Amino acid sequence: MLTTTLMLGIVGGVLLAAFFGLFRRPAGAPAQVVTINTPPAAARPPGCLARLGGLLRLVFTGFLLLFFLRLILLS
């Protein structure tokens, strides 16, 4: 039961990490949308929601890491 829970947690963690963008695509891989002669984006600092989202992603990843480490240590 515990082993199954850990295995499902690892699979779920990898899926969540891929969903949150922790795994980047390789530099040589083609982009999904190809546009030609696009104007350069204005360099602006990230907004409030972007910073909050980044912080939330780090906190959530840390929580999952601690949760599964605790499960491993208790087994």
Side-chain angles (χ1 to χ4, degrees):
M1 177 81 179
L2 183 63
T3 307
T4 306
T5 305
L6 288 174
M7 288 171 58
L8 288 176
I10 290 171
V11 169
V14 169
L15 289 175
L16 278 175
F19 178 72
F20 283 136
L22 295 179
F23 299 131
R24 305 284 181 204
R25 65 180 177 85
Q32 284 81 7
V33 178
V34 177
T35 56
I36 300 172
N37 295 332
T38 58
R44 294 185 307 193
C48 180
L49 284 178
R51 285 186 276 170
L52 185 63
L55 178 65
L56 184 64
R57 182 168 67 178
L58 285 176
V59 169
F60 188 65
T61 305
F63 172 75
L64 285 177
L65 181 66
L66 288 176
F67 178 74
F68 287 113
L69 283 176
R70 181 179 157 264
L71 275 180
I72 291 170
L73 290 174
L74 287 177
S75 63

